[in-house]
Amino acid sequence: MPKDNKQTLISITIPLIIVTCFFASFFMQPALLTGINNDLVFFKPMYGYIFKYVTDLHFLPLWQNRILSGSPLLGDPQNPLLYLPFYLGLILSPDSFFLVLFWLQYCVAALSMWYLARTYHLSAIASIAAGVVYALSPKFAAHLSAGHINMLAAYAFAPAYLAGVLQLKNRPSRKTICITALCGAYIFLNYLTVFIYVLIAGIAVFFYNGSRKNFTAEKIFSYAAAIGLFLIIILPQLEVGTIVGPVTTRNLLNIEDLGPRILSLRRFIHSVVSPYTYGLSQLETETVLTFGMIPFLLSGAGFITLKRRSQVVIAAISAVILIFALGPKTIIYAKLLFFLPLLLLFRITTRCWFLLVIIVALLITFPFSLSFHS
C-alpha cells in the first residue's frame, strides 16, 4: 500500500476507534441509550410500523397511522423512507437498530469533519482532532441523550457537504459530485431547517473560499450535475411535499412560541463557557451550547494564528450565529422577524449552533497544523 494511502487509512481509522470507545458502554447496556424517556418514544412505533409493513407486504407504506389521525409519510419532511441507513432496521432488533444507527451517525460526523479539514489542506493529526471534537461535542451528546435521531443525521453530513461545495469549485470530480449531492440530500431528508442553514453556509463557503477566477465550463457542469443528482434523490418527497406541505401548524407560530427559553444573556454566556454553573440538569437539550473548556481555549489559540481578514470573517459569522441563537432576546432578531416573518418557521433558534461547532473544530486544528504540518 502506498505511504500516502496508508496514512489516510490510519487517520480515518483513529476517529472511528475513538467514537466506538465512546459508545462502548451503550453497546454493553443498550438500555442506557434506548430505554430512557426521550424522543425515541415517538420514533419507535413509527419505525416499527414501517418495518412490519415492509416485511409483511413487501412494499413501502405511503401513510402512517400511528400519530393522531395519520398523515402521508412521503410528504413528511422527516420521513425515513429515502434514507438508506434506515433499512438496517429490517435485520436488527429495535434496540440494536437505534444503537447502531446512532453509532453510525457519530462515525459519519467524525469522518465528515475529517474530510472538511483535509479539504482545507490541514495535516492528518489536525484532521483527526477536528473529527473527534465535532463528533464528541456536548451539542451532539445533548441531542443523543434526547433521542434526536434525525437531527444528528443532518448534523453528521453537514461538514462533508461544505467540503464538497468547496472541492467542486477548486477540484471538481465525479466522486465529489456524488458526495456533495448525497450529503445534501440526506441533510434535506433528515431535517429541513438544518438543510437551510447548511445551504446558506455552503453559499458563504463558495464565495469566500477558493479562486473566483477561471470558473470553467467543467466546474459549472460539476455544480449542475451535483444539483441534478440531489434533485433526483429527493424528487419523490418534493412531489408529495408540495401537496401536503402547506398543511402545517408552523405558520400559526408567533414570537412567544420560539424556543428554547433563554432566560438572560448572562445565563446564555454561562451555558457556553461553563454550563456547570447552574448544573447540567437545569439546561434544556437545545440550550447545551458549550464546547468544553479545553476546545474553547484551543479554538482561541487557533483564532489568533489566523490572518486578520480571516479573523474578521469568522468573527462576523460567529456574531450572526450568536444573534440567531439568542433569538428574541436580541433587538436585531426581533426586528428581523418583523421584516422576515418566515423566520418563525425555524422555531428553535439554537439549532444553527452546529455551524459554530464546525468553526470551533476547525480553529482547534490550526495549532496542530502549525506543530505537525506535513
Side-chain angles (χ1 to χ4, degrees):
M1 181 183 292
K3 185 177 179 181
D4 289 345
N5 291 343
K6 186 177 180 180
Q7 287 181 343
T8 300
L9 182 61
I10 292 172
S11 66
I12 288 174
T13 304
I14 291 174
L16 297 182
I17 292 173
I18 294 173
V19 166
T20 304
C21 290
F22 173 77
F23 271 82
S25 60
F26 297 134
F27 284 125
M28 290 187 287
Q29 298 184 52
L32 293 174
L33 184 61
T34 60
I36 58 179
N37 184 23
N38 57 21
D39 279 14
L40 290 184
V41 174
F42 165 83
F43 290 112
K44 282 181 179 179
M46 170 79 76
Y47 286 12
Y49 166 75
I50 297 173
F51 295 144
K52 182 172 176 54
Y53 202 100
V54 172
T55 303
D56 293 347
L57 301 178
H58 308 295
F59 62 88
L60 297 176
L62 300 181
W63 182 272
Q64 67 81 20
N65 61 4
R66 290 300 185 267
I67 300 173
L68 300 178
S69 300
S71 63
L73 257 181
L74 200 55
D76 185 343
Q78 288 181 285
N79 87 82
L81 296 180
L82 302 179
Y83 183 51
L84 290 181
F86 166 74
Y87 293 98
L88 287 171
L90 293 174
I91 59 174
L92 297 173
S93 66
D95 283 353
S96 297
F97 163 69
F98 283 107
L99 180 58
V100 169
L101 194 58
F102 276 127
W103 172 75
L104 280 175
Q105 288 168 351
Y106 263 68
C107 289
V108 169
L111 294 181
S112 180
M113 193 67 220
W114 174 90
Y115 178 44
L116 179 59
R118 293 299 282 171
T119 301
Y120 278 107
H121 306 291
L122 299 176
S123 66
I125 293 179
S127 301
I128 292 169
V132 171
V133 167
Y134 183 66
L136 300 186
S137 65
K139 182 68 174 169
F140 265 66
H143 288 294
L144 176 67
S145 176
H148 292 169
I149 197 163
N150 295 101
M151 198 176 305
L152 280 175
Y155 288 162
F157 287 100
Y161 172 80
L162 297 177
V165 170
L166 183 58
Q167 286 204 328
L168 284 177
K169 185 175 183 180
N170 297 330
R171 299 180 302 278
S173 67
R174 283 177 291 183
K175 180 181 73 173
T176 306
I177 290 171
C178 293
I179 289 174
T180 309
L182 188 63
C183 290
Y186 278 175
I187 296 169
F188 179 91
L189 293 171
N190 276 288
Y191 220 89
L192 182 58
T193 53
V194 173
F195 173 76
I196 295 172
Y197 288 132
V198 172
L199 185 64
I200 294 170
I203 293 172
V205 166
F206 173 83
F207 283 104
Y208 177 71
N209 294 112
S211 173
R212 282 181 283 276
K213 299 177 181 179
N214 302 322
F215 202 62
T216 61
E218 180 189 6
K219 295 178 181 179
I220 295 173
F221 172 79
S222 297
Y223 276 105
I227 293 170
L229 182 57
F230 164 77
L231 291 174
I232 289 172
I233 297 171
I234 68 168
L235 185 61
Q237 182 170 316
L238 276 182
E239 185 174 359
V240 180
T242 54
I243 300 172
V244 301
V247 185
T248 176
T249 58
R250 286 206 175 187
N251 54 15
L252 302 176
L253 295 175
N254 54 49
I255 194 168
E256 287 78 20
D257 297 316
L258 296 180
R261 293 291 179 185
I262 295 174
L263 300 178
S264 66
L265 181 59
R266 179 183 175 185
R267 187 150 180 167
F268 176 82
I269 293 171
H270 274 298
S271 71
V272 174
V273 179
S274 179
Y276 307 100
T277 305
Y278 297 99
L280 288 176
S281 61
Q282 301 298 314
L283 292 176
E284 300 176 28
T285 300
E286 304 289 357
T287 57
V288 178
L289 306 176
T290 183
F291 308 111
M293 189 55 67
I294 293 176
F296 187 76
L297 295 175
L298 286 176
S299 65
F303 183 80
I304 294 172
T305 64
L306 298 177
K307 295 179 179 179
R308 180 60 61 84
R309 177 170 176 261
S310 297
Q311 288 179 340
V312 171
V313 171
I314 288 177
I317 293 173
S318 301
V320 172
I321 295 172
L322 182 63
I323 290 170
F324 268 79
L326 280 170
K329 282 292 178 183
T330 62
I331 298 176
I332 297 175
Y333 192 85
K335 293 292 185 183
L336 281 174
L337 284 176
F338 180 77
F339 293 104
L340 299 171
L342 288 177
L343 289 176
L344 286 169
L345 298 179
F346 287 94
R347 194 168 64 85
I348 305 296
T349 58
T350 54
R351 287 179 179 167
C352 63
W353 197 256
F354 76 97
L355 294 171
L356 206 53
V357 178
I358 291 176
I359 292 173
V360 167
L362 284 175
L363 286 175
I364 287 171
T365 65
F366 286 107
F368 283 99
S369 289
L370 291 174
S371 301
F372 302 102
H373 187 66
S374 57

